[in-house]
Amino acid sequence: MSSNSSLHIVIFPFMSKGHTIPMLHLTRLLLLRRGITITIVTTQANSPFIRQSLYDTQPPVNVIELAFPANIPQLPPGVESTDRLPSMSLFVPLANATKLMQPDFERVLKSLSASGGISFIISDGFFGWTQQSAEKFGIPRLVFSGMNNYTMTICGVLAGDRSHLRLGPDEPFTVPGFPWVNLTMNDFDPTFNDPELKGPHMEFIMEVATATSKSQGIVVNSFYELEPTYLDYWNREFVPKAWCVGPLCLAEPPKVDRDQKPEWIKWLDQKSAEGRSVLYVAFGSQAEISPEQLREMADGLEQSEVCFLWVVRSKVEGLEERVKERGLVVREWVDQVEILRHESVNGFMSHCGWNSAMESICASVPILAWPMMAEQPFNARMVAEELGVGLRIVASNGSVRGFVSSEIVEKMVRELMEGEEGKKARRKVKDIGKAARKAMEGGSSWRTLDQLIDETCRKKDP
């Protein structure tokens, strides 16, 4: 640990639950070190969630609110987070709008620097502009990454070797330096397959990548033992240094006994009492699923005859009546970690966002990976092919993108919950779950966080 008697860290999460929640877990981990003060910067609409999540921390966390820019073309009034966007096609306008907060953010840095100093900043990778602010005040900036080392490294390699762009969308190819990794063009978000590297989305990505390369390091929600080959490669071939300090969900405090449990926990308790195994189904708050695909999902779950708890925003006509006691459909926000830790839950059909994958691994629950967007196809390959902690759903035409029939859903659900491949994944995820907990309980991730603090503070005060 640093010899500094008191450290002050500024944390700035991106306005999306999938980015904010792990940074709040990181906040809890940092507060376990003595002499650390934390200030979180956020917008007014996102502040209540952060304050509620950290109400019990000691010492208390200081939360500073910035006004989100008004009258942004394309953005509906009052939208300050991805959860509220009518479509993820508006992500880039939302992210770019945050640049207008830079003067207010710099006033906060100036004030905090004058009243005792800032040791370093941890800001989300999407806030590339905060690197300029950090440089202006001579404060080290660390980037919080929502990706794992596997995805970071493979994308880093293929950004330099773009020979795969001449292939068809589903034609397999291997990654230079990683001959066991097989991909297709459809594993990438379409933006990355543009040979011209043009357009607002690509410009935003390039800005973020440039700012990240100038930062002091990347904080990664993973642990060394999970992906040593990729972390070592990244730290040998790319900059800045990546630091694995996760799985951060293990910093979530256990739920205290409540007089009034949510209905979905009562339902899981009932399934547990009946000795029945439950498949948890959730695709995050940002997946955009067509009505036709939702119907196929519903039909496949119904035909599988497996018990399931499905968190979905859209109404699935008639499903609850047809599955009666065997299935529960929930449309409100749920505590995913609490669900995955429930003894009745023995499988997770997931979009394979990295937080969800980590939470499932830590709960020793195997994953049925059904990626929807962004880097999720990479996570799905990692889960199924690299780690063996889950199975993978592919489209009816064999592509990693496209329409999935109810027959495929039924077959894969049964295989995960009852088949031999599912049993193998269940054994593997238990072993990796144990390694994850060991990494956080005084192991590699715990030590890495101490080293990160020391090294970053030394760069500020040579």
PDB file of all heavy atoms in Angstrom, residues 377-393:
ATOM      1  N   PRO A 377     -20.555 -10.981 -28.564  1.00  0.00           N
ATOM      2  CA  PRO A 377     -20.139 -12.220 -29.243  1.00  0.00           C
ATOM      3  C   PRO A 377     -18.755 -12.709 -28.797  1.00  0.00           C
ATOM      4  O   PRO A 377     -18.527 -13.921 -28.704  1.00  0.00           O
ATOM      5  CB  PRO A 377     -20.155 -11.834 -30.726  1.00  0.00           C
ATOM      6  CG  PRO A 377     -21.176 -10.747 -30.812  1.00  0.00           C
ATOM      7  CD  PRO A 377     -21.002  -9.952 -29.538  1.00  0.00           C
ATOM      8  N   PHE A 378     -17.841 -11.789 -28.497  1.00  0.00           N
ATOM      9  CA  PHE A 378     -16.522 -12.195 -27.997  1.00  0.00           C
ATOM     10  C   PHE A 378     -16.664 -12.841 -26.618  1.00  0.00           C
ATOM     11  O   PHE A 378     -16.041 -13.866 -26.324  1.00  0.00           O
ATOM     12  CB  PHE A 378     -15.589 -10.985 -27.889  1.00  0.00           C
ATOM     13  CG  PHE A 378     -15.127 -10.456 -29.204  1.00  0.00           C
ATOM     14  CD1 PHE A 378     -15.802  -9.419 -29.828  1.00  0.00           C
ATOM     15  CD2 PHE A 378     -14.014 -10.984 -29.825  1.00  0.00           C
ATOM     16  CE1 PHE A 378     -15.388  -8.926 -31.049  1.00  0.00           C
ATOM     17  CE2 PHE A 378     -13.578 -10.495 -31.042  1.00  0.00           C
ATOM     18  CZ  PHE A 378     -14.272  -9.461 -31.661  1.00  0.00           C
ATOM     19  N   ASN A 379     -17.463 -12.214 -25.753  1.00  0.00           N
ATOM     20  CA  ASN A 379     -17.670 -12.779 -24.421  1.00  0.00           C
ATOM     21  C   ASN A 379     -18.284 -14.173 -24.502  1.00  0.00           C
ATOM     22  O   ASN A 379     -17.932 -15.074 -23.729  1.00  0.00           O
ATOM     23  CB  ASN A 379     -18.584 -11.872 -23.590  1.00  0.00           C
ATOM     24  CG  ASN A 379     -17.992 -10.498 -23.364  1.00  0.00           C
ATOM     25  OD1 ASN A 379     -16.779 -10.309 -23.463  1.00  0.00           O
ATOM     26  ND2 ASN A 379     -18.828  -9.525 -23.067  1.00  0.00           N
ATOM     27  N   ALA A 380     -19.217 -14.336 -25.454  1.00  0.00           N
ATOM     28  CA  ALA A 380     -19.869 -15.635 -25.619  1.00  0.00           C
ATOM     29  C   ALA A 380     -18.858 -16.692 -26.048  1.00  0.00           C
ATOM     30  O   ALA A 380     -18.881 -17.833 -25.551  1.00  0.00           O
ATOM     31  CB  ALA A 380     -20.995 -15.528 -26.642  1.00  0.00           C
ATOM     32  N   ARG A 381     -17.970 -16.327 -26.966  1.00  0.00           N
ATOM     33  CA  ARG A 381     -16.924 -17.288 -27.372  1.00  0.00           C
ATOM     34  C   ARG A 381     -16.005 -17.616 -26.198  1.00  0.00           C
ATOM     35  O   ARG A 381     -15.613 -18.764 -25.997  1.00  0.00           O
ATOM     36  CB  ARG A 381     -16.109 -16.713 -28.529  1.00  0.00           C
ATOM     37  CG  ARG A 381     -16.832 -16.748 -29.868  1.00  0.00           C
ATOM     38  CD  ARG A 381     -15.857 -16.588 -31.025  1.00  0.00           C
ATOM     39  NE  ARG A 381     -16.535 -16.553 -32.304  1.00  0.00           N
ATOM     40  CZ  ARG A 381     -16.844 -17.616 -33.038  1.00  0.00           C
ATOM     41  NH1 ARG A 381     -16.552 -18.834 -32.585  1.00  0.00           N
ATOM     42  NH2 ARG A 381     -17.447 -17.489 -34.213  1.00  0.00           N
ATOM     43  N   MET A 382     -15.659 -16.600 -25.428  1.00  0.00           N
ATOM     44  CA  MET A 382     -14.785 -16.835 -24.280  1.00  0.00           C
ATOM     45  C   MET A 382     -15.440 -17.791 -23.290  1.00  0.00           C
ATOM     46  O   MET A 382     -14.809 -18.741 -22.806  1.00  0.00           O
ATOM     47  CB  MET A 382     -14.444 -15.512 -23.604  1.00  0.00           C
ATOM     48  CG  MET A 382     -13.448 -15.667 -22.480  1.00  0.00           C
ATOM     49  SD  MET A 382     -13.159 -14.101 -21.650  1.00  0.00           S
ATOM     50  CE  MET A 382     -11.916 -14.592 -20.467  1.00  0.00           C
ATOM     51  N   VAL A 383     -16.711 -17.531 -22.976  1.00  0.00           N
ATOM     52  CA  VAL A 383     -17.452 -18.344 -22.009  1.00  0.00           C
ATOM     53  C   VAL A 383     -17.534 -19.805 -22.462  1.00  0.00           C
ATOM     54  O   VAL A 383     -17.290 -20.728 -21.680  1.00  0.00           O
ATOM     55  CB  VAL A 383     -18.869 -17.744 -21.815  1.00  0.00           C
ATOM     56  CG1 VAL A 383     -19.844 -18.764 -21.266  1.00  0.00           C
ATOM     57  CG2 VAL A 383     -18.794 -16.529 -20.902  1.00  0.00           C
ATOM     58  N   ALA A 384     -17.894 -20.012 -23.745  1.00  0.00           N
ATOM     59  CA  ALA A 384     -18.141 -21.368 -24.229  1.00  0.00           C
ATOM     60  C   ALA A 384     -16.869 -22.075 -24.691  1.00  0.00           C
ATOM     61  O   ALA A 384     -16.655 -23.245 -24.365  1.00  0.00           O
ATOM     62  CB  ALA A 384     -19.156 -21.313 -25.367  1.00  0.00           C
ATOM     63  N   GLU A 385     -16.016 -21.372 -25.451  1.00  0.00           N
ATOM     64  CA  GLU A 385     -14.885 -22.036 -26.094  1.00  0.00           C
ATOM     65  C   GLU A 385     -13.594 -21.941 -25.292  1.00  0.00           C
ATOM     66  O   GLU A 385     -12.794 -22.876 -25.277  1.00  0.00           O
ATOM     67  CB  GLU A 385     -14.673 -21.428 -27.492  1.00  0.00           C
ATOM     68  CG  GLU A 385     -15.875 -21.630 -28.413  1.00  0.00           C
ATOM     69  CD  GLU A 385     -15.828 -20.749 -29.658  1.00  0.00           C
ATOM     70  OE1 GLU A 385     -14.753 -20.169 -29.936  1.00  0.00           O
ATOM     71  OE2 GLU A 385     -16.861 -20.644 -30.343  1.00  0.00           O
ATOM     72  N   GLU A 386     -13.389 -20.816 -24.630  1.00  0.00           N
ATOM     73  CA  GLU A 386     -12.131 -20.599 -23.910  1.00  0.00           C
ATOM     74  C   GLU A 386     -12.202 -21.155 -22.489  1.00  0.00           C
ATOM     75  O   GLU A 386     -11.277 -21.815 -22.025  1.00  0.00           O
ATOM     76  CB  GLU A 386     -11.850 -19.091 -23.870  1.00  0.00           C
ATOM     77  CG  GLU A 386     -10.451 -18.727 -23.444  1.00  0.00           C
ATOM     78  CD  GLU A 386      -9.452 -18.790 -24.590  1.00  0.00           C
ATOM     79  OE1 GLU A 386      -9.855 -18.823 -25.766  1.00  0.00           O
ATOM     80  OE2 GLU A 386      -8.251 -18.807 -24.284  1.00  0.00           O
ATOM     81  N   LEU A 387     -13.300 -20.868 -21.795  1.00  0.00           N
ATOM     82  CA  LEU A 387     -13.428 -21.237 -20.374  1.00  0.00           C
ATOM     83  C   LEU A 387     -14.231 -22.515 -20.156  1.00  0.00           C
ATOM     84  O   LEU A 387     -14.056 -23.180 -19.135  1.00  0.00           O
ATOM     85  CB  LEU A 387     -14.081 -20.093 -19.590  1.00  0.00           C
ATOM     86  CG  LEU A 387     -13.385 -18.733 -19.657  1.00  0.00           C
ATOM     87  CD1 LEU A 387     -14.203 -17.691 -18.905  1.00  0.00           C
ATOM     88  CD2 LEU A 387     -11.975 -18.823 -19.073  1.00  0.00           C
ATOM     89  N   GLY A 388     -15.139 -22.825 -21.066  1.00  0.00           N
ATOM     90  CA  GLY A 388     -15.968 -24.016 -20.907  1.00  0.00           C
ATOM     91  C   GLY A 388     -16.983 -23.921 -19.786  1.00  0.00           C
ATOM     92  O   GLY A 388     -17.428 -24.933 -19.249  1.00  0.00           O
ATOM     93  N   VAL A 389     -17.384 -22.681 -19.427  1.00  0.00           N
ATOM     94  CA  VAL A 389     -18.336 -22.500 -18.320  1.00  0.00           C
ATOM     95  C   VAL A 389     -19.756 -22.303 -18.827  1.00  0.00           C
ATOM     96  O   VAL A 389     -20.640 -21.927 -18.067  1.00  0.00           O
ATOM     97  CB  VAL A 389     -17.937 -21.312 -17.415  1.00  0.00           C
ATOM     98  CG1 VAL A 389     -16.592 -21.580 -16.764  1.00  0.00           C
ATOM     99  CG2 VAL A 389     -17.918 -19.996 -18.201  1.00  0.00           C
ATOM    100  N   GLY A 390     -19.970 -22.553 -20.123  1.00  0.00           N
ATOM    101  CA  GLY A 390     -21.309 -22.388 -20.656  1.00  0.00           C
ATOM    102  C   GLY A 390     -21.413 -22.935 -22.057  1.00  0.00           C
ATOM    103  O   GLY A 390     -20.447 -23.447 -22.632  1.00  0.00           O
ATOM    104  N   LEU A 391     -22.623 -22.828 -22.598  1.00  0.00           N
ATOM    105  CA  LEU A 391     -22.916 -23.239 -23.968  1.00  0.00           C
ATOM    106  C   LEU A 391     -23.314 -21.994 -24.762  1.00  0.00           C
ATOM    107  O   LEU A 391     -23.548 -20.938 -24.195  1.00  0.00           O
ATOM    108  CB  LEU A 391     -24.060 -24.261 -23.986  1.00  0.00           C
ATOM    109  CG  LEU A 391     -23.920 -25.443 -23.019  1.00  0.00           C
ATOM    110  CD1 LEU A 391     -25.113 -26.364 -23.132  1.00  0.00           C
ATOM    111  CD2 LEU A 391     -22.633 -26.215 -23.285  1.00  0.00           C
ATOM    112  N   ARG A 392     -23.439 -22.169 -26.057  1.00  0.00           N
ATOM    113  CA  ARG A 392     -23.643 -21.019 -26.923  1.00  0.00           C
ATOM    114  C   ARG A 392     -24.824 -21.237 -27.843  1.00  0.00           C
ATOM    115  O   ARG A 392     -24.956 -22.295 -28.431  1.00  0.00           O
ATOM    116  CB  ARG A 392     -22.374 -20.845 -27.749  1.00  0.00           C
ATOM    117  CG  ARG A 392     -22.465 -19.671 -28.675  1.00  0.00           C
ATOM    118  CD  ARG A 392     -21.238 -18.821 -28.552  1.00  0.00           C
ATOM    119  NE  ARG A 392     -21.490 -17.589 -29.267  1.00  0.00           N
ATOM    120  CZ  ARG A 392     -20.797 -17.207 -30.314  1.00  0.00           C
ATOM    121  NH1 ARG A 392     -19.800 -17.923 -30.722  1.00  0.00           N
ATOM    122  NH2 ARG A 392     -21.101 -16.085 -30.910  1.00  0.00           N
ATOM    123  N   ILE A 393     -25.687 -20.261 -27.955  1.00  0.00           N
ATOM    124  CA  ILE A 393     -26.783 -20.292 -28.924  1.00  0.00           C
ATOM    125  C   ILE A 393     -26.324 -19.604 -30.200  1.00  0.00           C
ATOM    126  O   ILE A 393     -25.743 -18.518 -30.148  1.00  0.00           O
ATOM    127  CB  ILE A 393     -28.029 -19.583 -28.350  1.00  0.00           C
ATOM    128  CG1 ILE A 393     -28.712 -20.497 -27.326  1.00  0.00           C
ATOM    129  CG2 ILE A 393     -29.007 -19.202 -29.450  1.00  0.00           C
ATOM    130  CD1 ILE A 393     -29.986 -19.927 -26.732  1.00  0.00           C
TER     131      ILE A 393
END
